[in-house]
Amino acid sequence: DSYDDVSLDKGSIGKCTLHKKVVGVALRTQKNTHPIYVSPGYKISLDQSIEVIKTLSKKSRLPEPINRADRLARAFANGKFLKDIHIIR
């Protein structure tokens, strides 16, 4: 339904609500960047989810595993890894 405004400061949080229930947050992982949206998953609370994202987002806006996957996918899409891939059967 809505979410709170998030200040431009690193670590700022705005609650995301659905039918008046908090279902996630908009979390600003770096100063003056777009926030990322965090919600809990299976057997992890919202607070734990926020801490995981903060821990994995020290150097950039997105968590490091997402950054690495994005870089690899872009390199693969551009044909940079095709010569180095060996299929093991």
Side-chain angles (χ1 to χ4, degrees):
D1 288 345
S2 68
Y3 63 92
D4 296 341
D5 286 334
V6 183
S7 80
L8 295 175
D9 297 326
K10 181 178 179 175
S12 298
I13 293 176
K15 295 177 183 175
C16 299
T17 58
L18 180 63
H19 305 297
K20 299 182 182 180
K21 179 181 176 187
V22 176
V23 295
V25 296
L27 170 66
R28 188 146 348 247
T29 56
Q30 300 293 321
K31 187 175 182 178
N32 296 323
T33 62
H34 292 288
I36 61 172
Y37 294 90
V38 180
S39 59
Y42 182 69
K43 292 197 175 190
I44 186 169
S45 70
L46 180 56
D47 289 338
Q48 291 169 323
S49 299
I50 293 167
E51 287 307 311
V52 167
I53 298 303
K54 284 182 176 180
T55 300
L56 295 174
S57 302
K58 299 286 186 194
K59 296 179 184 178
S60 64
R61 177 179 166 262
L62 295 174
E64 188 57 28
I66 301 298
N67 275 329
R68 288 184 185 189
D70 183 57
R71 284 194 305 267
L72 286 171
R74 288 176 192 271
F76 186 80
N78 291 326
K80 293 182 180 178
F81 282 122
L82 292 178
K83 63 184 178 196
D84 297 328
I85 293 177
H86 303 285
I87 298 176
I88 300 171
R89 294 179 191 216

